[in-house]
Amino acid sequence: MELIIAAIVILIKVIVIAVILFIVPIPLTWMERKIAGHIQQRLGPMRVGWHGLLQPVADGLKLLTKEDIIPDQADRLLFKMAPLVSLVPPFAVFVAIPFGESVSVMGYEISLYISDMNVGLLYILAVAGLEIYGVIFGGWASNSKYALLGSLRTCAQLISYEIPMGFSVIGVIMLSHSMSLLDIVNAQQDIWFIVYQPLGFFIFFVAGLAEAQRIPFDLAEAEGDLGAGFHTEYSGMRFSFFMLSEYLVMLTISILCVLLFFGGWHGVLIPLPAPIWFALKVGLFIYIFMWFRFTFPRYRYDQLMNIGWKVLLPLSLFNILLTGIFIF
Amino acid sequence: MISKNALQRLEQKHPWIGIVFFLDLIGGLALTMKYMFSRTVTMQYPDKEKWMPYPRYRGHHVLRRDENGENKCVACELCSKICPTNCITVVPHENEQGKRRPLVYEVNLARCLFCGLCEDACPEEAIALGSTFEYAAYRSQDLQVGCDELLNAKGKTEQGGCVVSAQFFPDDNARVEAKEKAGYHWWRNIHRQKDKIESSVQGKDR
């Protein structure tokens, strides 16, 4: 009986998180367009719903009704597979992400995470790395030069920035003596790791920008030189799957920044419920991502590689050394 | 201000500080943040606002009436002669009082280029270009406007060049109706940083 209840609870949690993840890009696209508008002294969407709140719904309906084009010479199986392949890892990542410790509902303790893995961080980095396959498949199967070039660039970018990202996290692991995200957050109860790891945070944040393919590192879909990168040939619902996965990666990076460096759901000064603190911090990071997008131009490809290999990688190694000395 | 100048001096002395702490990027972020919370310049036409044209605006043609409420036009055909696009058709006739009046007065708005020469040529100040600018039509023959419509069209505005709140009626005969006479100047929300621009130019000279 206990086992059945536990299984049902986990199932409900999985469904709730999956539904939330499908819905979350709707307010995020609205937010992005509003921020873009106001930074450029425009209003952004205003006509559908209150201040354009329903605009993403209208856009979604439009994408659903669009013609689903598959190019003539495309590899049809891979072409259809790619959006799904790129959509699965961002969802799978959320298995290991805690949103809070636990709440008691009707005398039953419900934890606010699906699973507290003892290798949670490793799992997240590994699964997030699988997202490259969607991009490779999409670019290759489209049989178009822009898509192929875009996907090649993306692969190189994602692979080279995964290394500093992984290294920058090692400092946090050394401080908290654990790879479980729950333990990492609990280790920050008094002092957030941003105090001990400013360099680590900087590397993680920059590498995260590159992983999420946001400006200034959005070479994958550089409109100016590549059409739209790996999803040039995609339209309608398949295109929106790519967009969905992109927004989820951004959300994941924001959540990881908060969990690893900004004390997760532990608040300061103002006593708010833990999930609200968590949401506020994640929202702030998402805002910063969007703010960056409408401030900076795009890096050139060689600059991107220089930053990844010649700046971030040595810096992250130095950070590990520094943390080691600090602990010792 | 003092601390800011000190920072700038420090940065000029040691350029590596700016590179290490990404001062240029932070400056860009600060600028976009400032714009984020400045007022928008969007005019919400047709939903909420509408622009009232200036008195000198040249819009839809209008025929003026004299003090007896009669058409001022004497059908001298000067307007149709001077029209560079040949869009005005005037056919004169003699009415019951023995006065020369237009039998037909038609303006083809689809062809008109709104130069205002007809207005200049008119000896009776009968034809003028009014303030109406919303006369889009589904068919080009609807833009062939006759005498009655020209007599009823809206004339020049007294006070214009402002944005007023308005209401949009999206029915068959879609229109935007202004709800007030005077509003704000459309350039109110546009950023003008004259002093800033000048100071930056001076900075470059140095």
Side-chain angles (χ1 to χ4, degrees):
Chain A
M1 197 59 203
E2 286 268 297
L3 204 67
I4 295 170
I5 288 178
I8 288 172
V9 166
I10 285 185
L11 196 67
I12 289 171
K13 280 194 280 196
V14 168
I15 290 170
V16 165
I17 286 183
V19 169
I20 288 176
L21 289 184
F22 264 113
I23 291 172
V24 139
I26 291 176
L28 285 188
T29 47
W30 176 81
M31 207 173 129
E32 178 139 36
R33 293 178 64 175
K34 273 291 183 197
I35 289 172
H38 280 276
I39 281 179
Q40 295 158 3
Q41 288 193 293
R42 296 182 288 112
L43 285 167
M46 283 296 278
R47 298 201 66 173
V48 192
W50 184 80
H51 278 247
L53 256 178
L54 296 176
Q55 186 70 47
V57 178
D59 287 349
L61 284 176
K62 186 201 76 176
L63 282 172
L64 269 174
T65 52
K66 271 202 162 183
E67 187 188 352
D68 180 28
I69 300 165
I70 299 180
D72 237 6
Q73 301 288 312
D75 186 331
R76 297 180 77 88
L77 179 68
L78 277 185
F79 191 85
K80 286 175 183 168
M81 230 167 80
L84 295 174
V85 171
S86 77
L87 195 59
V88 169
F91 275 85
V93 157
F94 278 84
V95 170
I97 287 178
F99 298 94
E101 242 161 321
S102 54
V103 288
S104 56
V105 182
M106 294 182 293
Y108 192 84
E109 199 85 344
I110 293 178
S111 51
L112 289 174
Y113 45 85
I114 294 176
S115 143
D116 177 29
M117 291 184 208
N118 54 358
V119 288
L121 202 50
L122 191 65
Y123 167 83
I124 286 174
L125 289 178
V127 172
L130 289 177
E131 212 220 329
I132 300 175
Y133 283 106
V135 176
I136 298 178
F137 288 171
W140 174 257
S142 301
N143 197 16
S144 136
K145 60 184 166 198
Y146 293 124
L148 186 60
L149 281 173
S151 78
L152 285 176
R153 276 186 181 188
T154 315
C155 292
Q157 177 183 338
L158 290 184
I159 290 169
S160 38
Y161 276 80
E162 229 152 58
I163 298 163
M165 195 175 192
F167 280 166
S168 68
V169 163
I170 288 177
V172 172
I173 298 169
M174 285 162 92
L175 283 174
S176 62
H177 303 293
S178 169
M179 278 173 113
S180 146
L181 285 167
L182 209 62
D183 291 349
I184 290 175
V185 172
N186 283 335
Q188 303 177 59
Q189 200 139 23
D190 303 318
I191 299 170
W192 296 354
F193 281 162
I194 179 77
V195 180
Y196 299 128
Q197 294 277 327
L199 189 61
F201 168 70
F202 168 74
I203 297 161
F204 185 83
F205 185 72
V206 174
L209 273 174
E211 286 284 300
Q213 293 161 35
R214 302 285 298 182
I215 280 180
F217 304 108
D218 75 327
L219 282 125
E221 44 197 275
E223 306 89 82
D225 35 327
L226 281 180
F230 62 93
H231 54 59
T232 307
E233 303 293 342
Y234 282 88
S235 61
M237 219 44 215
R238 293 187 209 281
F239 167 72
S240 71
F241 278 175
F242 276 126
M243 288 304 287
L244 192 67
S245 85
E246 216 164 273
Y247 273 104
L248 290 183
V249 171
M250 184 171 79
L251 187 68
T252 314
I253 301 288
S254 308
I255 287 177
L256 281 182
C257 278
V258 171
L259 286 177
L260 296 178
F261 298 100
F262 283 84
W265 47 85
H266 295 306
V268 276
L269 300 175
I270 314 155
L272 284 173
I276 292 181
W277 257 115
F278 187 66
L280 276 178
K281 288 183 202 171
V282 172
L284 179 74
F285 268 97
I286 289 173
Y287 176 79
I288 290 175
F289 271 82
M290 292 175 177
W291 181 20
F292 271 40
R293 171 164 179 190
F294 297 104
T295 304
F296 296 137
R298 184 180 301 126
Y299 276 115
R300 224 166 45 219
Y301 189 68
D302 58 323
Q303 289 172 330
L304 177 92
M305 285 296 145
N306 275 348
I307 292 170
W309 290 102
K310 292 186 187 165
V311 180
L312 290 186
L313 187 59
L315 269 181
S316 59
L317 289 171
F318 177 66
N319 185 47
I320 295 171
L321 186 73
L322 211 65
T323 316
I325 295 168
F326 183 72
I327 290 176
F328 182 70
Chain B
M1 281 313 276
I2 294 161
S3 65
K4 199 183 169 188
N5 284 339
L7 263 181
Q8 278 171 349
R9 249 180 289 135
L10 192 70
E11 203 205 328
Q12 267 171 359
K13 229 172 171 181
H14 309 281
W16 61 271
I17 293 176
I19 296 167
V20 168
F21 291 101
F22 298 100
L23 290 188
D24 43 355
L25 297 189
I26 290 168
L29 286 172
L31 186 78
T32 44
M33 189 50 122
K34 203 178 81 195
Y35 271 87
M36 173 98 200
F37 293 106
S38 67
R39 298 179 84 158
T40 56
V41 294
T42 308
M43 189 199 301
Q44 282 179 275
Y45 178 84
D47 288 332
K48 283 182 187 159
E49 288 166 331
K50 179 183 182 175
W51 175 66
M52 302 298 276
Y54 291 102
R56 64 170 186 268
Y57 183 79
R58 301 198 295 259
H60 193 294
H61 295 69
V62 59
L63 275 176
R64 293 205 181 102
R65 294 169 190 273
D66 58 15
E67 51 274 15
N68 303 326
E70 265 190 81
N71 194 347
K72 263 184 171 180
C73 178
V74 294
C76 63
E77 295 177 69
L78 276 177
C79 48
S80 78
K81 293 251 165 48
I82 203 159
C83 183
T85 57
N86 265 344
C87 69
I88 304 178
T89 317
V90 188
V91 176
H93 83 128
E94 201 180 306
N95 69 359
E96 299 85 53
Q97 289 99 32
K99 283 179 179 164
R100 187 182 156 108
R101 285 283 178 270
L103 179 69
V104 176
Y105 195 104
E106 273 189 349
V107 179
N108 188 350
L109 288 173
R111 220 157 71 196
C112 176
L113 57 83
F114 302 99
C115 59
L117 282 179
C118 47
E119 195 177 351
D120 291 345
C122 187
E124 298 288 321
E125 293 191 338
I127 184 87
L129 295 176
S131 61
T132 314
F133 57 89
E134 297 151 310
Y135 47 84
Y138 283 105
R139 292 168 305 162
S140 61
Q141 39 293 30
D142 289 350
L143 289 171
Q144 186 88 19
V145 176
C147 203
D148 296 333
E149 219 172 311
L150 288 172
L151 280 168
N152 293 328
K154 217 157 73 183
K156 305 239 173 211
T157 48
E158 306 272 295
Q159 188 213 11
C162 55
V163 180
V164 297
S165 66
Q167 202 178 354
F168 179 45
F169 298 95
D171 44 22
D172 276 352
N173 157 33
R175 66 206 181 278
V176 185
E177 276 177 13
K179 282 200 287 199
E180 54 193 10
K181 274 261 160 67
Y184 64 86
H185 292 301
W186 58 267
W187 62 80
R188 181 185 69 177
N189 298 334
I190 293 179
H191 257 291
R192 272 173 302 174
Q193 296 175 306
K194 213 173 166 189
D195 48 345
K196 278 260 173 88
I197 291 162
E198 275 167 9
S199 70
S200 74
V201 168
Q202 281 162 8
K204 258 179 202 164
D205 287 342
R206 188 180 51 194

